[in-house]
Amino acid sequence: METINWKVEGMSCSTCALTIGKYLEKKGGRNVKVSLANGDVSFEIGDSLDRQQIQKGIQDLGYTVVKEKEGGGVRRPMNKHLRYFLSSLPFTILLILPMAPGVEGLHRLMDPWAQLVICAPVYVLGMIFFGRSAVMSVRNGTPNMNLLIAIGATAAFGYSLAGTLFHLGSDYQFYETAASIITIVFLGYCIEDASIQATQRALNRLASTQKTMATMIAFDDQHQEVLFPVESDQLRSGDLILIRSGDQVPADSKILWGEAAVNEAILTGESIPLDKKAKDLLIGGSLLVSGSVKAQVTAPAEGSVLAGIVRMVRQAQGEKPPLQQLADRISAVFVPVVLGLAALTFLGNYFRLHQAAPALMRCIAVLVIACPCAMGLATPAAISVGLGRAARKGVLFRNARHLEAFRQIRQVIFDKTGTLTTGEFSIRDWRPFDCSPEEFRQIAFSLEKYSGHPIARGITREWKDKNPIRWARVKEVKGLGMRGETRDGDIYQAGSYKLAASLTADASHNVYIVRNDRLLGWIDVRDTVRPESAAVIRRLREEGISSILLSGDREENCRLLARELGITEVLAEQTPEQKLQQVARINDIAPAAMVGDGVNDAPALAAATIGISMSDASQLAVQTADVVLMNRGLSQLPAALELGRATFSTIRGNLFWAFIYNVLAIPVAACGGLSPAVAALAMGFSDMVLAANSLRLYSKKIVQIDHADR
């Protein structure tokens, strides 16, 4: 199966998205996702399906598939709605202007034939857009909103045309109504497009960093290095590249030579540069603040971390949460219902007033005012803004449903190591017995610098020594620790209690240092607590959300950490299977989120209502999680919870407005309270209200755990 990702223009309501989705499914497409908010369409097709034919079918429905460029980008022409609006506006003004009081010298434009000539271009343009889409949607079995616009405009234009041809008088002249409907709806679409584009800017800024120039390293026939520039999207796994100070990392890569300070703020939100050396990984899109490195590409541009982030957000914006699915079901039957109401309006007013003209105008007003585009925009607009705001703050949602699900969370389950703690060890206590403190630190550093164990890295990080012991031989003894031998024959060892079991009965320490079978001292370490952990737990408690510590670590260590952070419930020494059972049990009591980072956390993450991992977690944890925190810590967790609740509240408000608007507006239009032109303006205004309400999420104050809170 091949996955196709297209940008489709021309969708104006949820029924448009449904039309495209049903067409693709009818043609054999699988996993079809259509996003009204940003026009993204993705689906899978087999080898037997012709993508050119499918693209033509979508265009026959009245929509435009934007041409793809090499590298996966898209070339977007001038906005079609804006182009049509600007083309229609001058003609519509000419039709409306003579009706304004105090306007002299334009009485000739009141002539029916003159109005026909002026209105015809607008009507033809409208039918090219609305009419074609309406006909194809009916043929496809899913009548869309454009059908209502096309019928309304055609009724007004046809009625006026009949009056002109048969000289029936001014009572049959409604050319300005036909033109106004078309022009104002185009204006509403322009405003809607502008609001949707505003929600995409943060994501587009992120996506724009994917493509940059790179300096590739090759070798000539003399085996000498040759440097030449290439675009990042031309890089492939295994290519060698040179990255200098000030350069943007063009692709995910591994340092082979050199050291550098790297700013990964675009991905992690952490503004402090990180020191990188040989064998460290560089993330595409990050920036080298200082230094110069040679690196090997580990993933091409389309497979990079940054590209994955962009894809994840775009896919989440195309997902439909339960409220949107409800709105889609209503919109699917809304058009036929409105057509029936419009017919009843015409018949009722005709038999009551005994005049065709006012009955027709009220019928047209019902068709126009009832367009369900506000209903279709209600959820996608809020979801798009919410996900865009979350991405900007470093919170990535794999699925839009989980943004809405955050409102239900009443418990948060935390793993310990790598989640509430950094997974890096620091020295808590130490004591030398038969040597000076300086000598003890020198011995410990000189041995542990050759070990890759996390405890050893913690010791060497704190006890850097400029004059380490030069060993004649040094090696790591599996299960015991490090062993070093000097040129004088002295043997030094650093390791677990097994190493010193014959020398002391005290087994409570982490590292023992031994010289020639004599105990020199011990070192105790502890897992470093993340600086934001306490503030996050406190904030959750203030929100009425309980915190639970679930870990495979020892009971003593877990209790100590829980007391420090203010967590009351502790479940320690749990296997991955037990973690899964505990999460399922807790989740049955009340909806719970699970925050973890390791491979052993993956089953528990999948069992929770919402699984959350950090960006530096294991690959399995990241793939299993529903939400990824990109700031290397928990500081954005309260913001994610609050943003989820705020987004749901916005969706609910939007849907309420959309439903109430139609419920109140249709009777008013049916009774003659709205002219067709005013109805078209009111329909566009409803979209503006929903867009503005959704955009409030961008400015809504969201809790921020900063350094002052920690």
Side-chain angles (χ1 to χ4, degrees), residues 525-568:
V525 299
R526 61 169 298 178
D527 198 355
T528 306
V529 179
R530 288 187 183 270
E532 69 271 18
S533 294
V536 168
I537 299 299
R538 183 171 62 251
R539 180 68 189 186
L540 294 178
R541 188 165 54 246
E542 293 170 355
E543 295 288 330
I545 299 174
S546 60
S547 299
I548 301 168
L549 178 57
L550 177 64
S551 175
D553 202 357
R554 291 185 300 172
E555 181 89 18
E556 178 185 355
N557 294 338
C558 291
R559 294 285 177 188
L560 180 64
L561 177 64
R563 283 195 297 272
E564 181 178 347
L565 298 180
I567 299 175
T568 55

Side-chain angles (χ1 to χ4, degrees), residues 332-389:
V333 300
F334 198 79
V335 173
V337 169
V338 169
L339 290 174
L341 290 174
L344 291 175
T345 298
F346 176 79
L347 293 174
N349 281 282
Y350 180 77
F351 287 116
R352 185 170 66 88
L353 302 175
H354 303 290
Q355 297 182 50
L360 180 62
M361 289 301 101
R362 294 177 185 185
C363 170
I364 295 172
V366 168
L367 287 172
V368 175
I369 197 70
C371 291
C373 54
M375 196 182 307
L377 183 64
T379 300
I383 287 290
S384 187
V385 175
L387 290 171
R389 174 85 185 270

Side-chain angles (χ1 to χ4, degrees), residues 70-380:
E70 293 181 5
V74 294
R75 183 182 71 251
R76 296 184 62 87
M78 177 182 178
N79 183 279
K80 181 187 290 186
H81 298 142
L82 178 60
R83 189 168 67 246
Y84 284 2
F85 168 71
L86 294 177
S87 300
S88 303
L89 183 61
F91 299 100
T92 304
I93 291 175
L94 286 175
L95 289 171
I96 296 176
L97 200 58
M99 302 178 184
V103 178
E104 305 294 340
L106 296 176
H107 61 278
R108 291 184 180 179
L109 294 179
M110 298 297 291
D111 180 77
W113 290 100
Q115 290 196 14
L116 172 60
V117 172
I118 296 171
C119 181
V122 180
Y123 177 74
V124 170
L125 193 62
M127 289 307 102
I128 290 174
F129 183 83
F130 300 114
R132 183 182 179 190
S133 173
V135 170
M136 296 307 300
S137 71
V138 172
R139 183 182 301 176
N140 199 47
T142 52
N144 60 17
M145 190 202 78
N146 291 336
L147 178 62
L148 305 181
I149 302 297
I151 291 176
T154 298
F157 184 82
Y159 193 79
S160 304
L161 180 61
T164 301
L165 293 175
F166 298 106
H167 307 286
L168 299 179
S170 60
D171 289 341
Y172 283 78
Q173 300 306 310
F174 298 103
Y175 289 113
E176 79 286 346
T177 299
S180 297
I181 291 172
I182 293 170
T183 303
I184 293 174
V185 172
F186 279 141
L187 174 60
Y189 284 175
C190 290
I191 296 171
E192 187 176 307
D193 290 342
S195 68
I196 290 173
Q197 289 171 11
T199 70
Q200 300 295 311
R201 286 172 188 158
L203 184 60
N204 291 338
R205 283 196 298 270
L206 190 65
S208 67
T209 64
Q210 290 185 78
K211 189 171 183 179
T212 184
M213 295 302 295
T215 302
M216 192 170 176
I217 301 174
F219 296 90
D220 60 17
D221 55 358
Q222 302 297 319
H223 304 289
Q224 299 295 315
E225 286 188 359
V226 178
L227 304 180
F228 59 94
V230 297
E231 290 188 341
S232 61
D233 57 0
Q234 297 177 6
L235 294 174
R236 296 294 178 264
S237 295
D239 288 346
L240 300 179
I241 54 175
L242 173 65
I243 312 172
R244 302 182 179 92
S245 178
D247 288 350
Q248 190 176 72
V249 178
D252 291 357
S253 50
K254 182 179 181 179
I255 297 177
L256 301 179
W257 173 88
E259 297 182 355
V262 183
N263 187 334
E264 297 181 348
I266 189 172
L267 299 161
T268 66
E270 177 58 64
S271 58
I272 300 175
L274 303 175
D275 292 330
K276 301 276 187 175
K277 58 184 184 303
K279 297 184 180 181
D280 285 345
L281 297 177
L282 297 173
I283 301 176
S286 55
L287 182 70
L288 251 68
V289 178
S290 63
S292 180
V293 299
K294 294 178 182 179
Q296 185 175 42
V297 175
T298 58
E302 63 270 17
S304 68
V305 172
L306 181 58
I309 291 170
V310 174
R311 279 196 302 271
M312 186 185 296
V313 177
R314 291 199 184 281
Q315 289 169 2
Q317 288 178 328
E319 294 288 342
K320 295 180 180 179
L323 279 178
Q324 175 63 27
Q325 294 170 10
L326 172 63
D328 284 350
R329 287 194 294 271
I330 294 173
S331 296
V333 300
F334 198 79
V335 173
V337 169
V338 169
L339 290 174
L341 290 174
L344 291 175
T345 298
F346 176 79
L347 293 174
N349 281 282
Y350 180 77
F351 287 116
R352 185 170 66 88
L353 302 175
H354 303 290
Q355 297 182 50
L360 180 62
M361 289 301 101
R362 294 177 185 185
C363 170
I364 295 172
V366 168
L367 287 172
V368 175
I369 197 70
C371 291
C373 54
M375 196 182 307
L377 183 64
T379 300

Side-chain angles (χ1 to χ4, degrees), residues 166 485 663:
F166 298 106
E485 184 177 344
V663 168

